[in-house]
Amino acid sequence: MAIEKLKLSKRLQSNMKELGYFTAKEIQTKILSRIIGGHSVIGIAPEGAGKTTTYVLGVLMRLKYSEDDAPKVLILAPNDDKISEIVDRFITISKNKDLHIMGLKSSGSMEEEIEDLVRGVDIVVATPNRARAVYLKLGLNLNRIQTFIIDDAEEIVKQGMQTNVRELAQSCGDVQYLSFSSVEHEKLHLMIDPFMPFATLVEVEELAEEELDTHELVLYQVPNFTTKINLINSLLHDEDVFDKLVIFVNSKYTSETLLERLQVKNSEASVYLPEPSEETQLHSIQDFKQNPKARVLIIANELSNRIDLSGIPFIFHFELPENKADYINQVLKTSSEEAVAITLSTDLELPELKKVEQKLGKKFSVMPLPENLLIYKPSDNSKDKFELDESRGGAFHKKKESNSKTYNYGSGLKARMTRKNKKR
């Protein structure tokens, strides 16, 4: 869509064209009119989709300049680099010398920031922690805020600044709320739902034009590390289906921890090491493939170099590799053999998973968790903690025999399992 279709002011249209923007991004076509109309919006889009530019244009279209000393717009960002980026974007797009915008950086002097705020400012950009600290010192007046924006909300959640966001939002009263994130998940909603429960959710997907040929991609979303282990143990309970699988983790330490907490026979699980070592470790992928008793091989990404996964029906990713290319190499089809690549992800890991989807040009199939899975919830009661995790990772309700194969595998995965069992 041409930039003219966004119904921006002539001045902003001209500024955008001078900057080389002639075509509107998808998120701008879906959200900008709502922002200009004063609606509260949750925008979900990948990195680079144009989220920041979208709300900058919306704010500039709505902002009414006056001699009022109190700020009209508060923007929360996760770090000083993002604050600088946002301030620069406003200045570059607006080209308005009368626009008073200020970044409250964690590295700055709070006393000087408060003095500048008293002189008058239209837009304040800050981290949640810095904004709250200045607010508590009576340096940040929230009484005239019209628009409250959270940028890179997933990173703010990851850094644990949710409480400060909620307190600041609720101090603003009845205003327009905008939240932008690369992912939508439970922790995001726990932060924003108290003050924007009826906001319109708009999601934009931007995948690579070329879709890579991969194995079937399955995703289980779980809340934490222990629940990941519980899920693997629950799936491994079905020995007929999961008779051969590889589990990728990021470090040797994690591989050893996982090995201790798997509920399988000692002879069935091993840790991969390139050199010969203890009997619970294998140094050859071929030995694992040829050993009929071996079911599980745990491989640390830091020790793996293009391992031959042919003939392995299930490839688990307990964690995403830091190098996304490693993940892609592990799920790409290299022959006619079919396999299922199963990824376990917490809410905080989802942003990185979205980046993988962009590179692959396709989305994961999200599977519901097994009904009998015990979701580990840390408790302040040490006795509860012990009871939940006393099995060192095997904490889940055992299925009744009559229900031993009622996993929510999904149609594609079930079809492969059916074919697999017919071959026996």
Side-chain angles (χ1 to χ4, degrees):
M1 178 188 288
I3 199 76
E4 290 86 358
K5 299 293 184 180
L6 293 179
K7 298 182 179 179
L8 298 171
S9 67
K10 290 183 179 179
R11 180 177 60 82
L12 282 179
Q13 278 190 31
S14 175
N15 292 350
M16 291 293 284
K17 287 181 178 179
E18 284 183 24
L19 294 170
Y21 293 94
F22 298 97
T23 304
K25 295 270 192 176
E26 183 180 355
I27 193 170
Q28 292 156 7
T29 64
K30 290 185 174 182
I31 289 184
L32 190 54
S33 61
R34 297 176 186 271
I35 296 176
I36 296 172
H39 299 281
S40 291
V41 180
I42 302 169
I44 307 296
E47 185 177 333
K51 300 187 289 294
T52 300
T53 299
T54 300
Y55 73 71
V56 167
L57 290 171
V59 167
L60 292 175
M61 284 292 293
R62 281 175 53 81
L63 191 62
K64 306 297 181 186
Y65 300 100
S66 68
E67 297 300 322
D68 196 344
D69 293 337
K72 304 173 188 67
V73 180
L74 176 62
I75 304 171
L76 300 180
N79 52 56
D80 288 356
D81 288 342
K82 187 64 179 182
I83 290 172
S84 297
E85 178 190 329
I86 294 168
V87 171
D88 290 344
R89 193 75 54 88
F90 267 102
I91 293 172
T92 302
I93 292 177
S94 70
K95 295 185 178 179
N96 186 343
K97 295 180 180 179
D98 294 327
L99 176 69
H100 298 290
I101 181 169
M102 181 178 177
L104 306 182
K105 297 185 178 181
S106 57
S107 57
S109 166
M110 190 176 298
E111 288 73 18
E112 292 179 4
E113 289 174 345
I114 292 175
E115 289 177 6
D116 290 340
L117 285 168
V118 170
R119 295 190 187 100
V121 62
D122 298 306
I123 302 169
V124 172
V125 190
T127 65
N129 294 351
R130 190 66 163 188
R132 183 174 181 274
V134 176
Y135 171 70
L136 291 177
K137 285 185 173 289
L138 305 180
L140 179 59
N141 185 349
L142 300 180
N143 294 331
R144 303 295 178 83
I145 294 294
Q146 300 169 2
T147 304
F148 183 101
I149 302 172
I150 310 166
D151 199 350
D152 282 357
E154 75 283 359
E155 187 62 28
I156 287 175
V157 169
K158 187 175 181 179
Q159 294 184 28
M161 296 187 282
Q162 302 95 309
T163 299
N164 288 344
V165 171
R166 287 193 295 265
E167 290 181 359
L168 289 166
Q170 290 162 351
S171 298
C172 291
D174 185 17
V175 302
Q176 178 188 34
Y177 293 105
L178 306 175
S179 176
F180 293 89
S181 175
S182 63
V183 293
E184 180 192 10
H185 51 55
E186 182 182 5
K187 286 184 172 63
L188 172 67
H189 282 285
L190 287 174
M191 179 176 73
I192 65 177
D193 282 357
F195 55 89
M196 49 189 311
F198 305 113
T200 301
L201 175 67
V202 178
E203 185 168 5
V204 171
E205 295 286 352
E206 289 194 358
L207 303 175
E209 293 183 5
E210 181 183 356
E211 181 177 309
L212 300 183
D213 187 18
T214 68
H215 297 300
E216 181 179 359
L217 303 175
V218 170
L219 171 64
Y220 284 102
Q221 293 180 221
V222 295
N224 48 50
F225 181 92
T226 298
T227 305
K228 284 185 180 183
I229 298 175
N230 295 347
L231 175 59
I232 288 179
N233 278 322
S234 182
L235 296 175
L236 286 176
H237 186 67
D238 194 335
E239 298 181 16
D240 291 337
V241 171
F242 293 98
D243 64 342
K244 209 79 167 177
L245 58 112
V246 162
I247 304 176
F248 283 101
V249 298
N250 279 342
S251 68
K252 182 174 179 289
Y253 174 79
T254 304
S255 67
E256 292 170 348
T257 300
L258 181 57
L259 179 66
E260 291 178 7
R261 300 174 70 169
L262 288 183
Q263 289 190 336
V264 295
K265 298 174 185 176
N266 289 338
S267 60
E268 293 181 345
S270 317
V271 167
Y272 170 81
L273 282 179
E275 66 278 351
S277 188
E278 302 173 14
E279 59 184 28
T280 56
Q281 299 168 336
L282 286 176
H283 63 281
S284 167
I285 187 71
Q286 296 304 322
D287 289 347
F288 173 69
K289 293 178 183 179
Q290 295 168 8
N291 186 347
K293 293 183 180 180
R295 288 180 63 198
V296 183
L297 181 62
I298 306 170
I299 304 175
N301 285 306
E302 63 184 11
L303 300 176
S304 64
N305 289 309
R306 295 289 185 122
I307 291 178
D308 177 15
L309 297 175
S310 61
I312 306 293
F314 296 100
I315 303 166
F316 279 74
H317 285 91
F318 189 83
E319 300 169 302
L320 278 179
E322 292 183 9
N323 184 354
K324 303 302 178 294
D326 290 341
Y327 181 93
I328 292 172
N329 289 331
Q330 290 159 6
V331 302
L332 282 177
K333 270 190 179 180
T334 56
S335 66
S336 60
E337 293 179 342
E338 293 192 6
V340 180
I342 300 175
T343 300
L344 313 184
S345 174
T346 64
D347 285 351
L348 299 183
E349 293 168 325
L350 282 178
E352 295 304 311
L353 200 67
K354 288 292 182 181
K355 294 177 183 178
V356 171
E357 286 183 333
Q358 284 182 276
K359 292 181 179 296
L360 294 176
K362 62 171 65 175
K363 294 180 64 64
F364 290 78
S365 298
V366 181
M367 294 292 107
L369 297 176
E371 294 177 0
N372 71 328
L373 178 69
L374 179 62
I375 306 298
Y376 176 68
K377 297 180 180 179
S379 168
D380 291 333
N381 186 314
S382 59
K383 181 176 183 295
D384 289 345
K385 285 184 179 180
F386 178 76
E387 288 178 349
L388 281 171
D389 204 22
E390 64 181 339
S391 65
R392 303 271 300 157
F396 64 94
H397 299 298
K398 189 174 182 179
K399 289 175 181 266
K400 294 180 181 179
E401 193 64 31
S402 59
N403 297 325
S404 62
K405 294 184 182 178
T406 58
Y407 302 105
N408 295 313
Y409 289 137
S411 58
L413 186 48
K414 283 181 179 177
R416 281 172 172 72
M417 291 175 177
T418 300
R419 290 198 297 270
K420 190 175 190 305
N421 288 329
K422 283 182 178 179
K423 293 178 181 179
R424 296 179 181 279

